[in-house]
Amino acid sequence: GDLDKVVNLLLSLSGRLARVETALGSLGPHTATEDKMALREKQRLLVAQLEDAKELKEHVGRREEVVGAMVARYLPTEHLQDYQHFIKMKSALITEQRELEEKIKLGQEQLRCLRESL
């Protein structure tokens, strides 16, 4: 459960940071200084939160190793391999699911814009 939460947190923060950086990059020369400063502050906070989330992921990884060692004492080799595969694939699948959800959102937004332009 913690792994799910940390991976989702990392994905969420990195997505928000990417949107803020895109917004910063698209600012024109006539953008109000307050708006630029607000975006830069948001960027700074997101970078700090992302670093904290990475530390959390490392902590969860260390805890996962301890749990894995304990599980290894009790499971037969075949079941242990299944367990290790499950843990490895879980993060990858969460990441893939999140990317697909983002692509669906983007596609829906593009479709909405196309319909409005017609």
Side-chain angles (χ1 to χ4, degrees):
D2 289 345
L3 180 63
D4 291 352
K5 292 173 188 169
V6 171
V7 169
N8 280 322
L9 177 63
L10 284 167
L11 291 171
S12 174
L13 289 171
S14 59
R16 289 172 58 198
L17 182 59
R19 286 190 293 278
V20 168
E21 289 175 347
T22 299
L24 275 170
S26 66
L27 293 178
H30 303 294
T31 303
T33 305
E34 300 101 32
D35 294 341
K36 288 179 186 178
M37 289 177 57
L39 280 173
R40 286 192 183 112
E41 178 63 15
K42 190 180 261 188
Q43 180 187 34
R44 186 188 67 74
L45 289 172
L46 286 169
V47 167
Q49 289 174 341
L50 190 59
E51 289 304 314
D52 290 344
K54 287 178 183 178
E55 287 178 24
L56 274 174
K57 186 170 187 312
E58 289 174 12
H59 176 72
V60 168
R62 287 189 298 272
R63 215 173 68 208
E64 179 186 323
E65 289 176 17
V66 170
V67 170
M70 289 179 6
V71 167
R73 285 187 258 161
Y74 298 102
L75 287 181
T77 305
E78 179 183 311
H79 293 278
L80 180 61
Q81 290 172 348
D82 290 343
Y83 169 79
Q84 290 168 337
H85 178 71
F86 170 77
I87 295 298
K88 192 183 302 180
M89 291 304 296
K90 192 169 186 172
S91 284
L93 290 173
I94 292 168
T95 303
E96 187 175 336
Q97 177 185 5
R98 187 67 172 248
E99 288 173 358
L100 289 172
E101 288 169 354
E102 289 294 321
K103 286 179 182 179
I104 289 169
K105 256 196 238 180
L106 177 63
Q108 289 171 338
E109 181 66 21
Q110 288 173 339
L111 185 58
R112 185 186 61 75
C113 289
L114 280 172
R115 285 184 179 145
E116 288 175 3
S117 69
L118 293 176

